[in-house]
Amino acid sequence: MRGYATMIKVLFICHGNICRSPMAEFIFKSMANNLGVSDKFSVCSRATSDEEIWNGVGQPIYPKAKEQLLYHGIAIGDKKAIKLKRNDYYEADMFIGMDSANIRNMKILFGGDADYKIHKLLEFTESNSDVVDPWYSGDFDKAYNDIEMGCNALLSFLLFENS
């Protein structure tokens, strides 16, 4: 990560871009803002599938994910699901997947990861496990906690690496 002279563009990735990746996007933005370093990052989120994009229009953040963010005092705006595209590889500095399937799907879409831009969120913590998928588990508290822990570790990593 060394050598970024300007803003670091981070894309958080999950399957549908309605639960985990938008949660990560807004948690990370909130943390960066609270530390006064939001100007160092461009942050967004994307989906590896188009299941939550109907007739070209992305679905909004899943209500329980939105509730979880609002409960923690994190504003989200009018976020809608966006599909990851092959060209994104050349425009972003880091792709942060929520689980191993996201990592695999990104590598397939991008034809590999020659520049080592693809990472799993919890690899920046001591666990390196997958962020629990609340769409299936129903456990939005656990997903929030995993994402918060991962975003905190990622932000620390990026600030340390670029200091």
Side-chain angles (χ1 to χ4, degrees):
M1 297 311 322
R2 294 188 194 282
Y4 290 116
T6 59
M7 190 174 290
I8 300 169
K9 185 170 184 179
V10 178
L11 289 179
F12 289 101
I13 311 297
C14 72
H15 184 75
N17 194 216
I18 61 167
C19 292
R20 295 175 295 169
S21 61
M23 288 173 73
E25 173 185 347
F26 292 107
I27 290 169
F28 188 93
K29 284 178 177 178
S30 177
M31 288 177 171
N33 188 53
N34 290 342
L35 290 174
V37 295
S38 58
D39 61 327
K40 296 183 182 299
F41 304 99
S42 170
V43 181
C44 198
S45 59
R46 303 275 192 274
T48 58
S49 83
D50 58 4
E51 291 175 18
E52 297 300 332
I53 302 167
W54 304 339
N55 298 319
V57 178
Q59 297 302 302
I61 295 176
Y62 189 67
K64 289 186 179 187
K66 183 177 180 177
E67 286 171 19
Q68 192 66 228
L69 291 168
L70 294 174
Y71 174 79
H72 290 279
I74 298 174
I76 59 164
D78 190 29
K79 171 72 180 164
K80 301 221 188 273
I82 303 168
K83 178 129 181 348
L84 186 66
K85 295 180 173 77
R86 186 175 179 92
N87 244 17
D88 287 330
Y89 192 80
Y90 306 104
E91 297 174 15
D93 299 304
M94 294 185 82
F95 297 88
I96 309 298
M98 299 297 115
D99 62 33
S100 299
N102 303 149
I103 301 302
R104 180 192 67 236
N105 291 338
M106 282 189 278
K107 287 181 178 179
I108 290 168
L109 174 66
F110 296 143
D113 183 24
D115 296 330
Y116 304 103
K117 295 180 176 188
I118 298 173
H119 304 274
K120 189 163 47 165
L121 180 60
L122 292 181
E123 84 180 47
F124 296 96
T125 70
E126 294 179 13
S127 99
N128 194 33
S129 58
D130 291 346
V131 172
V132 67
D133 190 341
W135 182 259
Y136 298 106
S137 72
D139 195 344
F140 284 84
D141 289 331
K142 172 80 170 117
Y144 182 91
N145 291 336
D146 284 353
I147 294 166
E148 181 182 49
M149 179 176 60
C151 284
N152 189 43
L154 173 61
L155 184 56
S156 295
F157 171 80
L158 291 173
L159 292 174
F160 173 75
E161 283 291 308
N162 291 290
S163 59

